[in-house]
Amino acid sequence: MAEISIANISKSFAGTIILEGVSLDVANGEFLTLVGPSGCGKSTLLRIIAGLEHQDSGTIAIAGSSVDMKAPKARDLSMVFQSYALYPYMTVEENISLPLTMRRMGTLQRLPLLGGLLPGAGAIRREIAVEARQVAESLGIAHLLSRRPGQLSGGQRQRVALARAMVRQPQAFLMDEPLSNLDAKMRVKARAEISEMHRRLQATFIYVTHDQIEAMTMSDRVAVMMHGRLLQVDPPQRIYDEPKTLEVARFIGTPEINVLPGTVRHDGAIEVFDKIWPVVVDAGRHAPVSVAVRPEVWEVAQQPGEGSLLTGTVRHIELLGSETLLHVSFAGSAASVVARVEPTVATRYRLGSPIHLAVDPARILVFTENGKRAATLTRSVPSQVRNLHG
Amino acid sequence: MRTSIAAALFRHLILATGAVLMVLPFVLMVSISLKTEGEIYHPQFSLLPTSPDGIENYVAAFAMQPLWRYLLNGVLVCVGIFLAQALFALPCAYALAKLRWPGRNLTMAFVLLGLLIPPQVPAVPVYIMLWKFGLLDSYAALILPSAISVFGIFLMRQFFRTVPDDLISAARMDGLSEVAIVWRIMLPTAIPGLIAFGILSVVGHWNDFFWPLIAIQTPELATPALGVMFFVTAEAGTNFGRLMAAATVVNAPLVIAFLIAQRWFIDGLTMSSMK
Ligand SMILES: Nc1ncnc2c1ncn2[C@@H]1O[C@H](COP(=O)(O)OP(=O)(O)O)[C@@H](O)[C@H]1O
Ligand SMILES: [Mg+2]
């Protein structure tokens, strides 16, 4: 159990910069998720923490002391790989017990036949077998101990990989997309199991994924990574509600956040499609901005009302059962938005129906041209908006 | 329908011709080894011996020369060479397939170059080296020059390249040393290849005539292929019956070993087709 401190890590492969000054402190017992699109350098960072790859600059410290000079096995971390990386020619039991045999038994004691004759070897082996069985039982794979990985289903292999990581009770767990080879149903189940495992072990977890749903559902904190940089590190809800950049806002949340082109007027109000929106922003005047609204934030109406901001046409309806997505397009613009509504509300609309959209002003996000969240965001009630207009 | 039968017939005819041409020398060898001198020079050729007296050849072959000794030498030398080759090839192949180090590509180029050089080319310098070390006419002279096989390195590297990198990373996390990774993680994936290579290596060195001929003077150190030739140079002239009996005895272990191991042999050499 230990905190992990990542300070200013940079790494290039053959002249291509993969990681650029990544700094991050993971608290003892924290579940931190590193999320970002494929190829952004997540696995590379994880492998540097594990000691499987060497950083060009920067420092990794575990439990307060630098491990930069330590080999992977000396760092006392466990890693679960996307491909599970089970040893194909060993049984499940041998796979799970290997980390313990390597640590507790000497080279001679490990020898197949001769080793058994050495004093103590038998006792250690029995002890290891007991521990391996306990871990296997806790993951419900005790009946598979004598099988080979090739004879297991994807879900079973994933558990064996978890068991192998758990068995030696490491300082921290590193997981590299451990669920991405499972089918959708198994994945939901495995998510819950890994969260449960974290609660039970109270160990530090660094969990890598490109799937923002995994990031949102499992983590204490989420670190969003793109192009080798950390863009934001915050608890999941905060990342969702208060993204610091447009890239983060777009990456987190499905369906993707709606982004409309706007401009800042002379008085700081935002104008979208020739209409004044109920937000005032402290950003450069007359500058183009991106106005972003989460799909569930839209309030839809069949008739134009007090706060209506957009008028469009329903172009596509997606039924998801618990909710319905209405895709709305606007005359004279290529932009379109998605509104997430209750199925009972959705039944009022057909393809081609006119639709009016309003928004709680507190939940409008504005990003400047360079993608940064606009510095200050003041809210104004609709009556003030009319004043501004007049 | 008819054309396909004709095509199949044609195919089989060609293959059968090839097979007969391949097997014929061996059939003749066994046939002659079982005939008496009179039968061998009889104007009427027959494949099967007409009398059981031909068995004499085998008795005489074992009596005239220490055939058992030659077979034992063959086993010692072939096993020694194969073990040495595996001992060098596996770590080399691991380094070439999975480790990143400066000069790796250049080294690999040398390995490929080594594949192109026939063993007769460096024979003279190797001979001189062994002479300088005083190792000529010994088992070492038979084993050392073949202890490193570039073909073995190349073949094992091709196997090791198919091992996922994650497996090696996992092994490092689990506390295996690089040496342990070679023997416990990499080797098991390459067993079929190693067996195939072993068969090629053993057959090659069992049948090798050229190198033992120049490296060995003492008859007691002769390998099977060299030993058989002692029947030719024996003072009584060439007795074909005994020569062929000796040749049959010398070939038998290989044929038996191959029959036992042929499944692995074929697996090992067709590995590229199984991903
Ligand atoms: N050993 C390596 N040699 C060269 N390039 C590499 C190596 N490992 C990773 N890369 C490159 O680094 C980039 C980031 O890879 P990775 O960390 O695996 O991304 P992620 O896990 O976020 O998908 C990729 O473009 C990949 O091609
Ligand atoms: Mg990755």
Side-chain angles (χ1 to χ4, degrees):
Chain A
M1 314 299 115
E3 70 271 10
I4 297 176
S5 150
I6 300 159
N8 229 344
I9 293 292
S10 296
K11 176 76 182 172
S12 325
F13 281 119
T16 314
I17 296 171
I18 304 297
L19 296 174
E20 224 180 330
V22 175
S23 296
L24 177 64
D25 285 309
V26 187
N28 185 11
E30 183 173 11
F31 194 122
L32 181 118
T33 300
L34 201 55
V35 67
S38 284
C40 73
K42 307 180 297 289
S43 298
T44 306
L45 181 59
L46 207 64
R47 291 172 59 80
I48 288 175
I49 298 172
L52 295 167
E53 205 82 66
H54 270 288
Q55 66 266 36
D56 297 340
S57 63
T59 294
I60 305 284
I62 299 175
S65 56
S66 160
V67 292
D68 296 332
M69 289 299 140
K70 285 191 180 174
K73 61 179 166 187
R75 299 191 182 193
D76 197 16
L77 305 170
S78 277
M79 190 151 168
V80 178
F81 296 84
Q82 182 172 4
S83 59
Y84 311 138
L86 302 178
Y87 309 117
Y89 296 94
M90 299 183 193
T91 63
V92 168
E93 179 169 15
E94 287 164 337
N95 265 279
I96 297 176
S97 35
L98 188 64
L100 295 182
T101 4
M102 294 312 295
R103 254 148 242 266
R104 298 194 190 156
M105 303 182 74
T107 315
L108 286 179
Q109 287 180 321
R110 286 199 304 267
L111 287 179
L113 289 171
L114 195 85
L117 302 175
L118 291 178
I124 303 178
R125 256 189 213 289
R126 277 191 295 279
E127 184 187 292
I128 289 173
V130 168
E131 282 173 53
R133 173 162 285 276
Q134 273 170 359
V135 171
E137 267 162 14
S138 78
L139 287 166
I141 49 170
H143 60 292
L144 304 173
L145 281 175
S146 57
R147 301 231 195 131
R148 296 274 171 104
Q151 300 165 309
L152 305 180
S153 71
Q156 291 169 332
R157 277 181 222 184
Q158 193 256 346
R159 279 157 204 246
V160 176
L162 286 182
R164 186 177 63 182
M166 276 169 68
V167 74
R168 65 186 156 92
Q169 303 176 326
Q171 302 244 36
F173 289 86
L174 309 176
M175 304 205 173
D176 194 352
E177 314 215 13
L179 307 187
S180 60
N181 286 336
L182 298 180
D183 62 51
K185 216 169 184 168
M186 284 292 302
R187 210 176 300 172
V188 176
K189 204 165 147 225
R191 269 195 332 237
E193 281 171 359
I194 290 185
S195 292
E196 158 61 23
M197 175 177 156
H198 173 246
R199 275 194 295 274
R200 188 155 42 89
L201 300 175
Q202 310 220 314
T204 311
F205 276 51
I206 301 183
Y207 183 101
V208 162
T209 179
H210 68 270
D211 179 355
Q212 45 102 11
I213 297 183
E214 282 174 29
M216 296 296 286
T217 51
M218 303 168 74
S219 334
D220 294 325
R221 277 193 308 159
V222 175
V224 183
M225 190 162 169
M226 280 181 204
H227 339 290
R229 292 166 171 279
L230 286 184
L231 299 184
Q232 187 170 356
V233 186
D234 267 320
Q237 195 63 49
R238 191 169 169 81
I239 295 253
Y240 187 81
D241 292 336
E242 307 283 343
K244 282 186 184 157
T245 70
L246 186 56
E247 275 180 313
V248 173
R250 281 184 190 275
F251 188 73
I252 300 292
T254 40
E256 202 179 296
I257 197 165
N258 298 294
V259 181
L260 295 168
T263 42
V264 184
R265 284 165 34 116
H266 58 88
D267 53 9
I270 302 281
E271 190 179 308
V272 179
F273 295 154
D274 299 328
K275 193 144 178 133
I276 308 294
W277 279 40
V279 278
V280 176
V281 69
D282 184 15
R285 303 294 129 112
H286 308 291
V289 288
S290 299
V291 180
V293 177
R294 295 276 180 207
E296 67 277 13
V297 172
W298 298 115
E299 292 151 18
V300 300
Q302 284 168 299
Q303 302 302 323
E306 264 283 277
S308 290
L309 293 172
L310 292 168
T311 301
T313 315
V314 176
R315 282 290 165 220
H316 181 54
I317 300 176
E318 274 183 80
L319 300 173
L320 300 179
S322 60
E323 63 202 27
T324 302
L325 303 179
L326 301 176
H327 293 245
V328 179
S329 66
F330 308 101
S333 165
S336 71
V337 302
V338 176
R340 180 193 301 214
V341 299
E342 292 283 316
T344 49
V345 174
T347 52
R348 296 177 212 149
Y349 300 91
R350 297 273 171 278
L351 287 184
S353 303
I355 185 167
H356 301 272
L357 304 173
V359 171
D360 171 2
R363 302 192 61 184
I364 297 171
L365 306 173
V366 179
F367 298 92
T368 59
E369 228 178 335
N370 61 16
K372 292 264 183 304
R373 183 84 180 277
T376 50
L377 179 74
T378 55
R379 304 146 200 175
S380 38
V381 294
S383 61
Q384 284 172 312
V385 172
R386 268 197 297 279
N387 287 343
L388 281 171
H389 208 190
Chain B
M1 201 62 200
R2 282 180 73 177
T3 54
S4 77
I5 289 175
L9 269 177
F10 183 66
R11 251 197 330 266
H12 280 85
L13 200 68
I14 291 195
L15 290 173
T17 314
V20 166
L21 284 177
M22 293 288 203
V23 171
L24 202 57
F26 291 93
V27 173
L28 284 180
M29 173 182 79
V30 175
S31 162
I32 293 173
S33 77
L34 290 170
K35 290 177 181 175
T36 60
E37 201 130 349
E39 283 174 302
I40 293 171
Y41 294 110
H42 198 273
Q44 201 74 49
F45 176 81
S46 91
L47 201 58
L48 293 175
T50 47
S51 77
D53 299 341
I55 226 66
E56 261 309 296
N57 289 329
Y58 285 85
V59 179
F62 276 98
M64 273 174 62
Q65 298 279 345
L67 256 191
W68 287 115
R69 179 68 197 243
Y70 299 156
L71 291 176
L72 186 70
N73 287 345
V75 171
L76 275 178
V77 168
C78 288
V79 169
I81 288 177
F82 174 65
L83 288 182
Q85 285 175 334
L87 202 67
F88 284 107
L90 291 166
C92 286
Y94 173 62
L96 285 171
K98 288 295 172 189
L99 302 182
R100 275 178 274 158
W101 41 282
R104 182 175 85 163
N105 291 340
L106 189 69
T107 312
M108 192 59 211
F110 278 121
V111 168
L112 293 175
L113 193 69
L115 284 176
L116 301 177
I117 299 176
Q120 287 80 3
V121 171
V124 172
V126 167
Y127 183 88
I128 294 171
M129 259 166 72
L130 288 171
W131 172 67
K132 294 240 178 208
F133 287 117
L135 290 174
L136 279 177
D137 202 19
S138 70
Y139 284 123
L142 291 171
I143 294 174
L144 286 184
S146 308
I148 296 176
S149 159
V150 280
F151 177 67
I153 294 173
F154 175 74
L155 189 69
M156 289 300 106
R157 170 190 176 262
Q158 297 307 98
F159 269 90
F160 288 175
R161 274 163 59 93
T162 65
V163 175
D165 289 339
D166 276 356
L167 210 58
I168 297 164
S169 298
R172 289 192 184 133
M173 299 289 298
D174 285 344
L176 274 75
S177 66
E178 297 300 297
V179 174
I181 289 176
V182 172
W183 298 109
R184 300 198 57 175
I185 309 296
M186 305 304 280
L187 175 59
T189 66
I191 290 289
L194 196 65
I195 290 177
F197 170 67
I199 292 173
L200 287 178
S201 164
V202 166
V203 170
H205 292 105
W206 186 273
N207 290 333
D208 185 23
F209 177 61
F210 170 79
W211 184 252
L213 182 65
I214 57 175
I216 296 298
Q217 253 91 57
T218 319
E220 279 71 44
L221 289 178
T223 55
L226 187 60
V228 168
M229 292 321 286
F230 291 148
F231 287 89
V232 182
T233 53
E235 307 201 338
T238 305
N239 181 320
F240 282 108
R242 287 173 198 165
L243 179 63
M244 289 303 126
T248 305
V249 168
V250 156
N251 266 299
L254 286 187
V255 173
I256 292 166
F258 181 79
L259 288 179
I260 292 170
Q262 69 175 330
R263 188 171 58 84
W264 293 307
F265 183 70
I266 288 163
D267 279 359
L269 290 185
T270 53
M271 64 115 180
S272 49
S273 64
M274 64 184 193
K275 189 182 87 161

